[in-house]
Amino acid sequence: MGQTSLKREVGLIGALSAVVGTVIGAGVFFKIAAMAERTGSANLVIVAWILAAIFTIAGGLTVAELGAMFPETGGATKYLEYSYGPIYGFLFGWIQTLVYYPANIAALAIIWTTQFTNLFGIKQGKNLIYIAIIVFITILIINALGSKFASRAQSLFTILKLIPIALIVFAGLFSKADVHFQLLPLAAGSHINPIAGVGGAIVAAMFAFDGWIGIGNIAGELKNPKRDLPLSLTSGLAIIGLIYLLVSIVMLRHMPINQIMGNQETASQVAQMLFGGIGGKLVTVGILISVYGALNGYTFTAIRVPYALASEGNFPFAKTFMKLNRFASPWNSSVLVALVSIGLMLSNQFDPLTDLAVFISWLFFILLFLAVFKLRKTMPDKERPYKTWLYPVTPIIAILGGIFILFSYITNSANLPFFAFGMIMIVLGIIVFKKISK
């Protein structure tokens, strides 16, 4: 069957579940530390979450038009190819393989190991645990056993990761506050520029919203895409934003801002305040399961990107990377993603790695937002089961939000080494594409 054979069987509730299940991951527990450090202010943390949600919703509503136009495997890679040419689609796939997914996988392995070693009082051998968790997920168990096993595992993780969130929110909101903070007046911490602080916090928050780009892919399977796609996106991402706000408010109610700043143990420590020693450890175990599920999700998708590129002849050593093992899983792609992830993970830099993933992805997202304008002119007669809400206002908001994110990232000198790595990989990708396309 061709691309047009997708069955329109998904209703509003199913689409809403896909949005929430795809986006919620590890960021809800750990990004408040960076957001607090960059703003020095409880109320600016709240502002950053709200702006991040607005930019994400605008981006989702914009790119969904492309997803409805081209409901096929490849997602954003294909949208870029159709809009600007083959090199843009290749570059996005190349960057996903060698920067975006490995940076995310490495960061999640770092935070998982940190939580694991602190929970069990392990003082040494973190690097070995980093490597072991990546190898375990990427090669030996879940993804080596094929997509069926991996997808079932991911469904289980989606359910399990909501448990610690629900426990923290309900217990934290209805317990006595240990700390009182005001929403107004808005003010940054001492010696912090409020614009730069909020910008840096938004970059951090965007990691928690990561995953929204693939939501438009369900457009071809919706019963009523014109109604259900925008409704599921706006309501789903709004619900996610509200969940993030509530979790952050719980943490801010129980721990002073200066103790949250840069403290990756905030979620675990607040859980112990709320539930006591044993209860707090059980919630921490739930957080570990949530992070593990996110690791599996990223890895499951990551190892299929070089395979897809290789299958079209658009990747170095294509014959090697298009091979499948006996479980119909792209084994060689798994090895490649694992090696790059381990290399990045040895930096032991959680926030810089997630910021790199946000920056490099939004660099291409802006091109996608612009593509909506471009394709309205170059493909005016192309069927659009869904058109961007409030066009052109929504894509303009997404573009301006994306520019602010890029500017906030580039102007932070701490990001320079990782920024340089990302740019080098883009240049290298251009060189590789020119060679393989001859």
Side-chain angles (χ1 to χ4, degrees):
M1 299 293 288
Q3 297 166 0
T4 58
S5 63
L6 289 171
K7 295 182 179 180
R8 296 190 179 275
E9 298 176 337
V10 180
L12 179 60
I13 300 301
L16 183 61
S17 300
V19 173
V20 175
T22 299
V23 174
I24 292 181
V28 61
F29 301 113
F30 303 109
K31 293 316 284 187
I32 190 173
M35 296 170 73
E37 187 172 39
R38 294 170 186 181
T39 60
S41 162
N43 51 32
L44 288 187
V45 168
I46 303 300
V47 169
W49 277 124
I50 294 171
L51 290 176
I54 291 172
F55 295 155
T56 303
I57 291 171
L61 289 172
T62 300
V63 175
E65 178 171 320
L66 303 178
M69 288 176 68
F70 309 111
E72 58 185 272
T73 302
T77 302
K78 291 297 182 183
Y79 311 158
L80 288 167
E81 181 180 331
Y82 295 145
S83 302
Y84 304 106
I87 189 172
Y88 289 89
F90 167 82
L91 276 178
F92 189 54
W94 171 266
I95 287 300
Q96 283 183 314
T97 301
L98 297 175
V99 182
Y100 170 75
Y101 282 119
N104 274 308
I105 292 168
L108 290 170
I110 289 168
I111 206 68
W112 190 94
T113 301
T114 301
Q115 299 296 304
F116 181 83
T117 54
N118 289 340
L119 179 63
F120 293 102
I122 300 172
K123 302 297 182 182
Q124 296 180 340
K126 278 191 174 183
N127 283 347
L128 290 177
I129 298 175
Y130 290 156
I131 295 171
I133 189 65
I134 288 179
V135 170
F136 184 80
I137 291 177
T138 310
I139 300 175
L140 295 179
I141 303 295
I142 294 178
N143 291 296
L145 298 180
S147 60
K148 187 175 182 180
F149 184 88
S151 61
R152 286 179 177 177
Q154 192 59 27
S155 297
L156 177 62
F157 289 135
T158 298
I159 296 171
L160 292 176
K161 70 185 176 183
L162 298 176
I163 296 175
I165 294 174
L167 290 173
I168 289 173
V169 168
F170 284 110
L173 290 179
F174 295 105
S175 61
K176 182 180 178 181
D178 301 307
V179 180
H180 296 279
F181 67 92
Q182 295 179 326
L183 293 178
L184 296 172
L186 297 177
S190 178
H191 307 297
I192 294 177
N193 181 297
I195 302 298
V198 169
I202 291 173
V203 173
M206 281 301 175
F207 172 70
F209 285 100
D210 195 41
W212 63 267
I213 187 65
I215 295 167
N217 293 345
I218 66 174
E221 299 170 76
L222 293 178
K223 295 178 182 177
N224 187 349
K226 290 183 180 180
R227 182 199 68 181
D228 292 347
L229 189 60
L231 278 178
S232 62
L233 276 168
T234 52
S235 56
L237 291 172
I239 289 170
I240 292 165
L242 178 61
I243 290 171
Y244 292 169
L245 271 179
L246 292 176
V247 173
S248 293
I249 288 171
V250 167
M251 295 180 186
L252 292 167
R253 291 180 79 241
H254 293 275
M255 189 175 286
I257 189 74
N258 63 316
Q259 292 182 23
I260 296 175
M261 294 168 63
N263 178 14
Q264 299 293 356
E265 293 299 307
T266 298
S268 297
Q269 291 171 2
V270 169
Q272 291 192 33
M273 293 178 187
L274 295 173
F275 304 105
I278 296 177
K281 288 184 177 180
L282 288 174
V283 173
T284 301
V285 170
I287 294 173
L288 281 170
I289 293 172
S290 175
V291 177
Y292 189 90
L295 261 170
N296 179 65
Y298 276 113
T299 306
F300 177 75
T301 306
I303 66 176
R304 284 157 177 79
V305 175
Y307 166 76
L309 290 173
S311 297
E312 297 177 351
N314 292 329
F315 204 76
F317 309 105
K319 291 183 179 179
T320 298
F321 288 107
M322 66 186 292
K323 288 182 180 179
L324 301 176
N325 66 5
R326 63 191 182 94
F327 297 107
S329 182
W331 173 265
N332 292 323
S333 296
S334 299
V335 175
L336 174 64
V337 171
L339 290 175
V340 179
S341 300
I342 290 170
L344 290 175
M345 176 206 60
L346 294 177
S347 69
N348 197 26
Q349 298 288 314
F350 172 69
D351 286 314
L353 285 171
T354 57
D355 288 353
L356 171 63
V358 169
F359 165 76
I360 207 75
S361 57
W362 275 81
L363 193 62
F364 286 91
F365 292 167
I366 291 175
L367 291 176
L368 290 172
F369 305 150
L370 292 170
V372 172
F373 292 97
K374 184 176 189 295
L375 294 178
R376 290 250 181 146
K377 292 183 177 180
T378 59
M379 296 184 180
D381 299 325
K382 174 72 174 176
E383 183 183 359
R384 290 171 171 81
Y386 158 77
K387 290 186 177 182
T388 299
W389 267 11
L390 300 178
Y391 179 91
V393 175
T394 300
I396 289 173
I397 292 173
I399 292 167
L400 293 177
I403 292 172
F404 185 51
I405 289 168
L406 299 189
F407 176 79
S408 298
Y409 179 85
I410 293 170
T411 53
N412 184 347
S413 59
N415 292 326
L416 183 58
F418 293 92
F419 169 73
F421 169 72
M423 293 299 99
I424 289 171
M425 295 310 296
I426 288 177
V427 172
L428 182 60
I430 294 171
I431 296 171
V432 169
F433 178 81
K434 288 183 177 179
K435 287 188 175 182
I436 63 177
S437 60
K438 284 183 179 179

